[in-house]
Amino acid sequence: MKSFLINLGKRNGYLALAVVLLFSAGYIIDYYVGSSTSAKFIRNDIQSYLQEREIDFVKFSADTSLVNKLFTQQYSNEDLKLMVDKNYSVLLYQNDSAHTLKFWNNQRVLPDDSLLQKPDGNYFAFLKNGQYDFVKKTISQNNNKPIVAVALVPVRFQYYITINNLQPEFVNFPEAEGKFAITFSKNDLPVKSYFGNNLFYLHQKLRTVNKTQNWISVVLILSAILLLLIIIQNVAQSVAVKFGAIQGIAFLMFVVTILRVVVYKFPSLLNLRQYELFDPRIYGSNFILSSLGDLLINSLLSCWIILFIRRQIKRYNTDIFIATWKEWLIKFVVLTSISFFTFVFAYIVQSLVADAKISFNVTNFWSLSAYSFIGFIVLASLALTYFFCTQMLIRFISTLGSGDSLIEYIIMAFAGLLMLTFIKNTEIVELDVFVLIWLLAYTWLMQRKLFSGLNVRLNISEVLFWLFTFSVSISAVIISENRKIELEQRKRTAERLSEQADPSTEKVLSIALTYFDNDFLYPNFKRLKDPEANAYIKDSLINKSFSTYRDNYNTKVYTYGADEKPLFNEESISYDTLNTIFKIQGKPTSVTDLRYYEKAFDKYTYLYKKSITDSTHKIVGYFFILSEPKNYKGDDLLVPELFQQRKEFLPEYSPVYSCLFT
């Protein structure tokens, strides 16, 4: 035993030393580059970025000739191009009480009036789309009023609405967003301007498991892991040669299992969650298969173990199983294991398609991504693992005596059906019924000499046959799950359209209009004749009664007197226009006095009309509520709708409008 350990040390000593050195170097580099040192690097980069633009603005403001040309709009194309190419905003104001804007080089941002009132200098400003380095300088002119030159250097973009293409980030340093925050605490790293003052401070966020490692440390740690796996393979091989195949297999499975448990238990060791491949939002099924990266690692490790077992076990010795009942007991256990492995294999394939945000639709090439490629690698490794595993188990059964193959199929079917009784998810049960039928056919094919499924070495034709078999089988599962996903997406789309387009489901409007009756409107009608009270009441009605409805619809209130003349409406829409649309184009809904008409195939405009009467039932005014669908959806919020021909809000454009000439 001592000599065995010495030989292992000699064979793998240098590799073990390399593993220790690589791991140490990787973690040391990550610690120093990922801690305060990187904070100083980021601070210095941001500081240099700001100071370069401040220096450029100082040079620009000193060029009075160019400033005068721009201010008087007598510049050339070269002058304009020079200003447009600047990656910060330059604005020139007339030095008067109104601060009249005379020139600007881009349309990114405008400073607030409060900033323009400040004396010349350098300030840190919070504007509508982020934080800026604000520089103001008054330039004197001979016999003319001074010019106020302003520079706005973007520091960090931050938008009121965050979508995919409008994410908060430090300008030119998007990687700093997750690591640092802007503060004004003097305990943090100061960012100085060219003028010497501290603009703001950088605060390093708490280090979490989601921090990003330096790429050098990633390469070093990955190399150490590969060398560690080589050492494990060498030791397992040596154990198998010295003590037997079973001991070598047990050692390999034990060590690999321990390593995976350690990684699961202590995720910060490798910090895998920093990579999108290990993001549960892309794929996540359960604790073990918590991400696509975990599934990839587990499938590759399983394939490695199965190939090692297949290489070590070349023949089966079942002389110890003499009694027939023992042979059938072993057969029952093995056949049940095959059924179990088959259901697990099918579940993983089904889960990879159903639970992941990954496209496997090869007919639409542009829908595929890098994750699709990784998914195909996972499927290939799983198929290879399953094939070799079931091949060894079926070969093992064949050595237990001739037996009755029909009884073996019955046992396999019984074990499979028994497992299905404990599965609560009906969708998986439906798939597993077909999987069980497939398993019986697969086992039958494996036992046929024509296909040589039980041979240790397969020729080219046999390899192609089994590749074709698994490709067709996996493709069938993928196609089936894709159809289910497409059906669910269509159902959700139909539900959304139904909620938007089906007037009978206007729950929110029904609730909002419940109290808009004559008992509420008549006592407040006199207030509607006052312009200030009118605006206040309309604003209150929209913001309070329709607060849950404003995300999808623009709601406006229109009021008219008994003579059908408008009462301080924001838009000049006549009573006849709204009344004509309400009576002719509008279609009734389940809500009293609420009608709708088509705006687009999936957009409907809702129009509510209420006649206001006094105690003698005499009409004293009219009250309309118009809810129009907004012109944006989701991530297309800021995408311009070019060349869109919008129709005026007139009944002449109604599809039911007709005209008679006499």
Side-chain angles (χ1 to χ4, degrees):
M1 185 64 179
K2 184 177 180 180
S3 60
F4 173 73
L5 296 176
I6 293 174
N7 290 333
L8 283 181
K10 290 181 178 179
R11 294 177 183 177
N12 303 286
Y14 291 108
L15 289 177
L17 180 61
V19 168
V20 173
L21 292 176
L22 288 173
F23 268 122
S24 302
Y27 282 111
I28 291 173
I29 291 176
D30 176 60
Y31 177 79
Y32 283 103
V33 175
S35 58
S36 60
T37 305
S38 64
K40 293 179 180 178
F41 288 157
I42 292 293
R43 187 278 308 271
N44 293 339
D45 289 342
I46 294 176
Q47 189 169 268
S48 299
Y49 158 80
L50 295 176
Q51 291 182 3
E52 286 176 3
R53 283 144 187 82
E54 290 168 346
I55 293 173
D56 182 77
F57 177 72
V58 170
K59 294 180 180 178
F60 160 75
S61 58
D63 189 352
T64 55
S65 175
L66 176 60
V67 171
N68 286 325
K69 289 181 182 178
L70 298 174
F71 185 80
T72 57
Q73 299 182 358
Q74 296 178 356
Y75 48 81
S76 63
N77 290 333
E78 290 75 13
D79 295 332
L80 181 60
K81 186 177 184 304
L82 176 66
M83 299 304 298
V84 171
D85 289 341
K86 294 183 183 296
N87 46 15
Y88 64 95
S89 299
V90 176
L91 306 100
L92 299 179
Y93 291 87
Q94 185 172 324
N95 192 17
D96 53 19
S97 58
H99 289 99
T100 305
L101 181 61
K102 291 295 185 178
F103 175 82
W104 61 94
N105 68 332
N106 60 50
Q107 301 178 3
R108 183 177 293 124
V109 67
L110 281 175
D112 298 334
D113 291 339
S114 59
L115 289 174
L116 297 176
Q117 300 292 341
K118 291 180 177 291
D120 290 1
N122 177 226
Y123 307 93
F124 186 73
F126 289 86
L127 300 180
K128 292 182 178 180
N129 63 344
Q131 293 86 51
Y132 285 81
D133 175 12
F134 175 80
V135 184
K136 178 185 176 184
K137 183 177 181 181
T138 303
I139 304 173
S140 301
Q141 297 187 98
N142 295 329
N143 302 324
N144 289 316
K145 289 185 178 181
I147 299 173
V148 176
V150 169
L152 285 169
V153 184
V155 178
R156 179 178 176 269
F157 290 132
Q158 185 178 15
Y159 305 93
Y160 180 74
I161 297 177
T162 301
I163 56 178
N164 288 341
N165 56 340
L166 290 179
Q167 294 289 332
E169 64 177 11
F170 283 87
V171 180
N172 283 8
F173 308 97
E175 70 281 358
E177 180 64 30
K179 296 181 180 181
F180 304 98
I182 293 176
T183 67
F184 296 95
S185 172
K186 296 183 178 180
N187 296 326
D188 296 313
L189 291 173
V191 176
K192 293 183 177 294
S193 71
Y194 166 73
F195 307 99
N197 59 311
N198 293 334
L199 282 174
F200 57 91
Y201 297 84
L202 274 184
H203 173 72
Q204 186 173 13
K205 298 179 181 179
L206 293 177
R207 294 169 61 88
T208 64
V209 296
N210 293 323
K211 73 178 185 65
T212 303
Q213 288 181 326
N214 179 269
W215 69 269
I216 299 177
S217 65
V218 171
V219 172
L220 293 176
I221 294 175
L222 184 60
S223 301
I225 292 174
L226 293 177
L227 290 180
L228 179 60
L229 296 180
I230 293 175
I231 293 175
I232 295 173
Q233 168 74 19
N234 293 340
V235 174
Q237 181 69 31
S238 300
V239 172
V241 172
K242 178 69 175 179
F243 302 101
I246 300 299
Q247 288 78 358
I249 295 170
F251 172 82
L252 179 63
M253 294 179 64
F254 176 78
V255 173
V256 171
T257 303
I258 290 298
L259 290 178
R260 283 301 287 154
V261 170
V262 169
V263 172
Y264 278 119
K265 189 68 175 178
F266 306 99
S268 59
L269 287 176
L270 297 179
N271 191 20
L272 296 177
R273 287 291 181 264
Q274 67 178 301
Y275 309 109
E276 291 186 2
L277 184 61
F278 293 87
D279 190 346
R281 292 174 295 181
I282 297 175
Y283 169 78
S285 178
N286 49 52
F287 175 75
I288 297 177
L289 306 179
S290 57
S291 66
L292 181 61
D294 289 313
L295 177 58
L296 176 64
I297 292 175
N298 292 337
S299 62
L300 293 177
L301 291 178
S302 300
C303 187
W304 174 31
I305 293 174
I306 290 297
L307 290 176
F308 183 84
I309 295 174
R310 185 172 181 269
R311 182 178 180 182
Q312 295 300 322
I313 301 179
K314 297 181 180 178
R315 63 186 181 87
Y316 303 90
N317 184 4
T318 58
D319 295 339
I320 59 173
F321 305 114
I322 300 174
T324 304
W325 69 270
K326 291 184 179 180
E327 291 183 355
W328 280 107
L329 178 61
I330 296 299
K331 282 187 177 182
F332 179 81
V333 173
V334 173
L335 292 172
T336 302
S337 301
I338 293 175
S339 300
F340 176 76
F341 292 149
T342 304
F343 288 144
V344 171
F345 173 58
Y347 168 77
I348 294 176
V349 175
Q350 183 267 346
S351 174
L352 186 59
V353 181
D355 298 335
K357 296 181 179 179
I358 305 172
S359 173
F360 291 96
N361 186 9
V362 294
T363 59
N364 184 5
F365 176 79
W366 300 111
S367 68
L368 302 178
S369 64
Y371 300 118
S372 302
F373 176 73
I374 295 174
F376 288 126
I377 295 177
V378 170
L379 292 175
S381 60
L382 288 174
L384 187 64
T385 302
Y386 176 81
F387 176 76
F388 285 136
C389 180
T390 53
Q391 182 193 55
M392 290 187 294
L393 293 176
I394 295 175
R395 284 178 58 201
F396 178 71
I397 292 177
S398 65
T399 63
L400 295 176
S402 58
D404 191 344
S405 59
L406 179 60
I407 297 179
E408 294 175 0
Y409 293 135
I410 293 174
I411 293 174
M412 186 178 294
F414 171 78
L417 293 174
L418 185 63
M419 295 177 192
L420 293 181
T421 58
F422 296 99
I423 298 178
K424 297 181 180 180
N425 192 337
T426 56
E427 295 182 357
I428 297 179
V429 171
E430 180 183 358
L431 172 65
D432 286 342
V433 170
F434 292 101
V435 169
L436 183 58
I437 298 173
W438 176 89
L439 173 60
L440 297 176
Y442 169 76
T443 305
W444 182 83
L445 290 174
M446 288 286 287
Q447 294 176 337
R448 303 280 76 79
K449 294 183 179 180
L450 177 63
F451 305 110
S452 303
L454 300 181
N455 291 344
V456 177
R457 293 186 179 181
L458 304 177
N459 57 41
I460 297 299
S461 60
E462 294 162 354
V463 170
L464 293 176
F465 170 78
W466 290 112
L467 283 175
F468 173 78
T469 300
F470 277 90
S471 298
V472 172
S473 303
I474 294 175
S475 298
V477 176
I478 292 176
I479 292 173
S480 174
E481 292 303 316
N482 281 337
R483 287 180 177 176
K484 291 181 182 179
I485 293 173
E486 183 179 359
L487 178 61
E488 290 299 321
Q489 290 175 346
R490 290 183 177 183
K491 287 182 179 179
R492 288 194 295 268
T493 302
E495 289 174 357
R496 288 197 300 268
L497 294 180
S498 175
E499 291 177 357
Q500 294 174 352
D502 186 3
S504 63
T505 61
E506 301 306 322
K507 304 179 183 66
V508 179
L509 272 178
S510 177
I511 296 172
L513 297 173
T514 300
Y515 300 102
F516 286 2
D517 53 12
N518 198 71
D519 294 336
F520 168 77
L521 294 174
Y522 177 67
N524 291 281
F525 186 72
K526 292 182 180 179
R527 297 174 60 193
L528 295 175
K529 296 181 179 180
D530 179 73
E532 294 183 0
N534 185 296
Y536 175 78
I537 292 175
K538 290 179 180 178
D539 184 67
S540 299
L541 292 177
I542 294 174
N543 290 327
K544 293 181 180 180
S545 299
F546 294 90
S547 59
T548 59
Y549 208 65
R550 288 180 298 169
D551 291 339
N552 298 324
Y553 287 83
N554 288 318
T555 303
K556 298 179 182 178
V557 177
Y558 298 91
T559 52
Y560 300 88
D563 55 358
E564 300 179 355
K565 292 183 179 180
L567 296 176
F568 311 108
N569 298 324
E570 292 184 0
E571 297 182 1
S572 59
I573 299 178
S574 67
Y575 169 84
D576 290 335
T577 298
L578 292 177
N579 190 52
T580 302
I581 292 176
F582 183 82
K583 290 184 175 181
I584 298 178
Q585 190 175 350
K587 299 178 182 179
T589 69
S590 60
V591 182
T592 305
D593 298 324
L594 178 68
R595 298 197 175 192
Y596 76 99
Y597 67 95
E598 291 188 30
K599 189 84 172 179
F601 81 97
D602 63 341
K603 290 288 187 182
Y604 283 65
T605 295
Y606 300 96
L607 185 61
Y608 176 79
K609 176 187 176 184
K610 190 69 177 179
S611 299
I612 306 173
T613 60
D614 58 14
S615 58
T616 62
H617 301 288
K618 180 182 178 181
I619 295 178
V620 297
Y622 300 93
F623 181 82
F624 288 90
I625 296 179
L626 180 69
S627 292
E628 289 188 285
K630 291 186 177 180
N631 294 325
Y632 62 82
K633 285 185 178 180
D635 294 344
D636 296 333
L637 175 63
L638 297 182
V639 178
E641 298 184 18
L642 299 179
F643 311 111
Q644 181 181 10
Q645 298 179 358
R646 299 192 59 181
K647 296 181 179 180
E648 296 294 334
F649 187 72
L650 295 173
E652 285 83 348
Y653 293 105
S654 167
V656 298
Y657 179 82
S658 59
C659 183
L660 175 65
F661 294 92
T662 59

